[in-house]
Amino acid sequence: MPFMLRVIRKARWFEDGNIKWLPKGEPQADALIDLSTKDNSLSLFYVTDDKSNINRIAAAYAANRQKISNLDYLLFDEGILDSVSLSAVTTLGDTPDIVVNTNWHRDVQNLSASKILDLARILLARGQKDRITHNVITTELRKSIAGGNIDRTQIKLSLEEVNKIAKPIEGNDPVAGELHD
Amino acid sequence: MTELKPIVYAGPIIGAVGGVLFSNTVPNIDDTIRVADYGVSDEAIMLSNYAINLQQDAASNQLSFTASVANKFETTVETAPVERLLLGALGVQFLYPSYVGNPDTHRIRYQLLVSGDSGFETTESLDNQTTRRGPIDNVVDRLRVLFQQGTDDIFEDGVENEFSKQLLSLIRENCTETALTIASMIDNQAANLEALSEALRWIGHVDDSRSFRIRRWLLERALFSNSAKVRDGAVLGISYLNDSHAVTYLRDAIAKETISDLRKDMQQALRELESKN
């Protein structure tokens, strides 16, 4: 079964019974920040069964930031949406990678506040939280740029960060020179 | 050195530094004095969680400090006569106030910074100790305001905002004071935890060699904060800093970590640092 991915901050989803004030099985209130909606829609990314497109999604998402950073995400079975009577529709994403935008971006629409809370609870119980480090993100950005996946003109990274991507391959890779243009 | 006369200690030093140095007594139970041997080597930064011995040679009026931090290391700094210490001579720099925790009273905590080289740019007179309102106080005030404003922000990894811009500006202007004050805020949980976590991320991001060691010190220390959010920010800051010096600290933090997700992130950061070598 394919998956859905939502970018989060893992610390907002800590539980483990080691946060003394937090009832077991309850998400922190701050977790809802990670499920914030626009026009009552929640933006997600579709991840294939073999998860082979995660790194490309991560690179596309990272290119929309100013700093190369870690990317924390919550991954869950697509079927979880059904279990809370929700469904995702394909919509256009806004990353610099057209494939990510057109093929893998989804919206869960018409969400009520209680549905978001239902979703938070079930994602805490059944979702998989993970982190892609900034070193891996750097590598994936470099690959996505070199492979032409990312539209260089749409990158929002600062020049300093672009230089970091370019630096290790300067002199033997066309990406470096073009990034500086 | 002969006839060393113990003045205070084991555990936090209590009292204003001026009082200690001038009167050899413990005048108040208000402030903690932190002692740092800074700039001598990579290992020579310490500020709190220390045990310290300060001794004075009655005959020569020499001071010596012996301090240890978390049983990790010890260092001894000998200074010249007290008067010269007070003037900030011989590379001894001192009296950096930091935020104490109650913004209303504006009480100032002092750090006695003992430097083996001339790494600090300025010293202050002891005369000014509790009333001075100068540029360094401004760092404290600016941070206090910044963190208050940051309470309302929603942070996202890698996305610049007014909070991060102002914080980076402060670090570049006054790296030591900024780091010390944030350390104090973490100790006292005197700011929004999400904002502190965000700050640690950006502290790791800063590309500024001058402040590298004090930033690294702050991040390594924050790994042991009581707040999981702060520890998470410290792990990320350390990973951005990408310096294998943190390996030992990460191992210690992993051994103590009770939140499995956070422990996993620490292990991931550790693996990356170890693979560097």
Side-chain angles (χ1 to χ4, degrees):
Chain A
M1 180 174 282
F3 302 90
M4 289 291 171
L5 180 151
R6 173 75 182 179
V7 176
I8 61 165
R9 270 198 170 183
K10 284 183 74 179
R12 293 173 182 150
W13 295 80
F14 286 158
E15 42 163 353
D16 256 18
N18 287 305
I19 300 175
K20 290 174 185 168
W21 54 267
L22 188 66
K24 193 167 176 58
E26 277 289 297
Q28 300 176 48
D30 284 357
L32 298 182
I33 294 171
D34 287 332
L35 298 180
S36 64
T37 57
K38 282 182 185 169
D39 290 334
N40 300 310
S41 292
L42 182 71
S43 170
L44 302 170
F45 290 97
Y46 171 90
V47 174
T48 53
D49 294 7
D50 61 1
K51 303 178 186 174
S52 59
N53 62 338
I54 283 187
N55 283 351
R56 182 164 176 178
I57 291 169
Y61 198 95
N64 257 352
R65 298 166 160 179
Q66 287 88 48
K67 277 276 181 190
I68 300 173
S69 302
N70 60 294
L71 189 128
D72 292 0
Y73 63 88
L74 223 162
L75 194 69
F76 57 97
D77 286 347
E78 190 180 30
I80 282 181
L81 291 176
D82 291 336
S83 71
V84 285
S85 306
L86 294 172
S87 60
V89 295
T90 302
T91 55
L92 192 63
D94 67 348
T95 77
D97 185 329
I98 189 70
V99 171
V100 171
N101 292 344
T102 54
N103 293 354
W104 299 329
H105 186 260
R106 303 284 186 274
D107 269 339
V108 181
Q109 299 174 332
N110 303 325
L111 280 163
S112 66
S114 63
K115 281 290 179 191
I116 287 288
L117 185 56
D118 290 345
L119 193 58
R121 286 190 170 124
I122 199 163
L123 293 185
L124 181 70
R126 295 171 57 188
Q128 174 197 335
K129 301 176 289 274
D130 216 334
R131 170 171 290 170
I132 304 176
T133 67
H134 80 292
N135 285 330
V136 174
I137 292 287
T138 304
T139 303
E140 294 303 325
L141 270 168
R142 189 175 295 139
K143 284 198 297 195
S144 266
I145 292 166
N149 300 337
I150 285 180
D151 178 352
R152 295 155 204 262
T153 64
Q154 303 282 315
I155 292 173
K156 294 180 183 166
L157 292 164
S158 69
L159 181 60
E160 183 187 19
E161 297 299 287
V162 168
N163 286 337
K164 282 183 193 168
I165 299 171
K167 199 173 179 180
I169 50 177
E170 254 174 18
N172 59 14
D173 190 295
V175 176
E178 292 180 34
L179 280 171
H180 285 296
D181 292 341
Chain B
M1 188 177 289
T2 57
E3 293 184 31
L4 286 172
K5 176 186 173 187
I7 301 179
V8 204
Y9 327 72
I13 307 177
I14 306 299
V17 69
V20 172
L21 296 179
F22 283 123
S23 68
N24 295 353
T25 60
V26 181
N28 296 304
I29 309 181
D30 280 330
D31 295 318
T32 301
I33 295 171
R34 299 176 171 194
V35 177
D37 171 6
Y38 179 84
V40 179
S41 72
D42 281 350
E43 297 298 326
I45 288 185
M46 54 191 174
L47 286 162
S48 65
N49 300 323
Y50 54 82
I52 184 164
N53 286 291
L54 172 60
Q55 296 175 310
Q56 183 177 17
D57 183 328
S60 65
N61 209 20
Q62 298 268 327
L63 285 179
S64 75
F65 299 87
T66 303
S68 62
V69 177
N71 299 320
K72 286 186 182 303
F73 64 95
E74 289 195 356
T75 186
T76 300
V77 179
E78 293 189 0
T79 76
V82 173
E83 290 79 8
R84 298 184 69 183
L85 169 67
L86 299 180
L87 292 171
L90 296 180
V92 176
Q93 315 285 328
F94 56 96
L95 289 182
Y96 281 80
S98 73
Y99 185 74
V100 171
N102 183 344
D104 298 325
T105 62
H106 290 287
R107 288 195 299 116
I108 293 172
R109 169 182 292 173
Y110 288 105
Q111 287 85 36
L112 178 61
L113 301 177
V114 183
S115 173
D117 60 18
S118 55
F120 289 107
E121 64 271 6
T122 188
T123 61
E124 292 187 61
S125 163
L126 284 173
D127 297 339
N128 296 330
Q129 48 178 306
T130 57
T131 56
R132 184 177 184 280
R133 304 293 294 171
I136 293 175
D137 297 290
N138 288 340
V139 171
V140 178
D141 289 342
R142 284 168 66 186
L143 277 170
R144 181 166 55 83
V145 171
L146 180 61
F147 277 90
Q148 279 174 349
Q149 291 169 343
T151 302
D152 298 327
D153 290 341
I154 293 176
F155 301 114
E156 188 182 347
D157 290 317
V159 178
E160 289 176 350
N161 49 43
E162 199 53 39
F163 178 86
S164 65
K165 287 175 187 168
Q166 288 191 37
L167 178 70
L168 298 194
S169 171
L170 270 167
I171 288 170
R172 292 194 171 104
E173 289 169 30
N174 290 289
C175 56
T176 304
E177 295 82 357
T178 301
L180 295 179
T181 305
I182 292 173
S184 178
M185 287 173 150
I186 290 172
D187 286 353
N188 296 301
Q189 300 209 350
N192 176 273
L193 297 173
E194 185 102 0
L196 285 169
S197 181
E198 177 75 3
L200 294 173
R201 288 161 158 85
W202 287 99
I203 282 165
H205 270 311
V206 180
D207 186 16
D208 177 30
S209 58
R210 190 176 64 93
S211 63
F212 182 84
R213 282 193 297 189
I214 193 75
R215 287 186 291 116
R216 186 181 64 194
W217 166 82
L218 175 60
L219 292 169
E220 289 170 345
R221 188 173 183 277
L223 284 173
F224 303 94
S225 163
N226 289 331
S227 159
K229 282 188 176 172
V230 169
R231 296 198 297 277
D232 183 55
V235 173
L236 288 168
I238 281 172
S239 72
Y240 302 150
L241 213 57
N242 208 21
D243 185 280
S244 55
H245 185 274
V247 162
T248 308
Y249 296 88
L250 272 172
R251 285 188 185 135
D252 287 351
I254 288 165
K256 290 174 181 165
E257 186 54 63
T258 56
I259 296 178
S260 59
D261 271 336
L262 185 48
R263 188 166 55 246
K264 185 177 154 193
D265 294 335
M266 288 176 173
Q267 287 165 337
Q268 187 182 40
L270 177 64
R271 278 196 301 277
E272 287 203 344
L273 286 184
E274 286 178 330
S275 69
K276 265 188 71 182
N277 303 317

